[in-house]
Amino acid sequence: GRATKAYIAVDAETLAVVFVKDCWRVTSPGMEKEGDILRKLNKAGVRNVPKLLCAGDVGGDSTQTTKSYNLINKPWRIGKRPLMPHTHSRQAVDVVGKTVHEVTSSRQLVRVIHDAFIAHRDAFVLCRILHRDVSAGNILIGRDGGGILNDWDMSKGIDSACARQLGRTGTWLFISSRLLDDPEKVHEVQDDLESFVHVLIYIAL
């Protein structure tokens, strides 16, 4: 929903293969950049997450930002769907992973999800950050065959009580039942833990 594109790239100096994510990030108040979040996780020694190589908004001082948000109160606007401002952003990380769908055995499936669970635990305990979008698309298989918990752009510090976006955060197929039942429920750690169970059952089946 944010025009995200993914590229495999090569560092021209080191010839290392890296992963580049190009997207339009939400820039509403309180939304932290994914690159800044990864930087915190890396600094704290969180295991099984991508290592940030570089990140920033496209355009430098003249960032590319959507204009539609500034027009929502115009009299000629049709419809009432809320709009959020977005900024064009890119980041590069060291992990070029395979999807969790590409596991070769039930043993590897459990290992990959367990490794992602360790990443989630480390982030929660060491950085007080909750991922909030645990899904089959955000768990990758790393170069060593283990798991990587990816896509931290929807994560949030557990000390932050304010709502940053309209609507529910997460991938609907894997959201906890309590979050689906109650649109006003605060996203808690147990909701993410339930999402891990949904991913395990989904991929196993």
Side-chain angles (χ1 to χ4, degrees):
R2 298 187 305 279
T4 300
K5 298 179 180 68
Y7 303 98
I8 297 175
V10 176
D11 186 314
E13 294 182 359
T14 66
L15 300 184
V17 178
V18 301
F19 178 81
V20 175
K21 178 179 180 180
D22 180 300
C23 70
W24 288 79
R25 64 179 184 84
V26 178
T27 49
S28 59
M31 288 293 295
E32 197 169 359
K33 298 178 183 179
E34 184 178 12
D36 293 341
I37 294 167
L38 282 175
R39 197 172 284 111
K40 286 182 184 177
L41 300 178
N42 294 160
K43 185 177 180 180
V46 174
R47 295 168 286 177
N48 306 330
V49 298
K51 179 182 178 183
L52 180 70
L53 302 175
C54 59
D57 294 334
V58 176
D61 295 333
S62 302
T63 56
Q64 298 177 8
T65 304
T66 53
K67 306 294 185 184
S68 306
Y69 177 75
N70 298 320
L71 307 174
I72 58 176
N73 294 321
K74 295 293 184 182
W76 43 259
R77 184 193 178 206
I78 298 174
K80 297 182 179 179
R81 185 174 178 85
L83 299 175
M84 305 291 287
H86 291 70
T87 299
H88 194 188
S89 179
R90 291 189 184 125
Q91 67 182 35
V93 297
D94 67 330
V95 174
V96 181
K98 296 180 180 179
T99 71
V100 69
H101 297 274
E102 298 177 74
V103 293
T104 57
S105 66
S106 57
R107 182 184 183 90
Q108 186 185 25
L109 171 60
V110 173
R111 177 193 171 190
V112 166
I113 293 181
H114 178 256
D115 286 350
F117 180 84
I118 289 173
H120 187 276
R121 178 194 176 279
D122 280 0
F124 186 78
V125 172
L126 300 177
C127 301
R128 299 179 65 79
I129 291 175
L130 193 60
H131 188 279
R132 304 192 329 138
D133 191 15
V134 174
S135 68
N138 291 340
I139 297 176
L140 302 176
I141 304 172
R143 290 187 177 97
D144 64 351
I148 300 289
L149 186 56
N150 194 39
D151 285 340
W152 290 83
D153 50 337
M154 291 294 138
S155 65
K156 184 178 179 181
I158 61 175
D159 298 320
S160 175
C162 63
R164 305 176 303 177
Q165 295 192 80
L166 299 169
R168 178 61 71 199
T169 297
T171 303
W172 283 84
L173 191 59
F174 304 102
I175 291 177
S176 75
S177 58
R178 291 187 67 195
L179 284 175
L180 292 176
D181 283 340
D182 183 1
E184 296 184 358
K185 181 190 180 302
V186 174
H187 199 128
E188 301 173 277
V189 64
Q190 53 264 40
D191 297 304
D192 274 8
L193 300 185
E194 182 179 328
S195 294
F196 277 109
V197 176
H198 293 320
V199 172
L200 178 61
I201 294 172
Y202 179 80
I203 300 298
L205 291 174

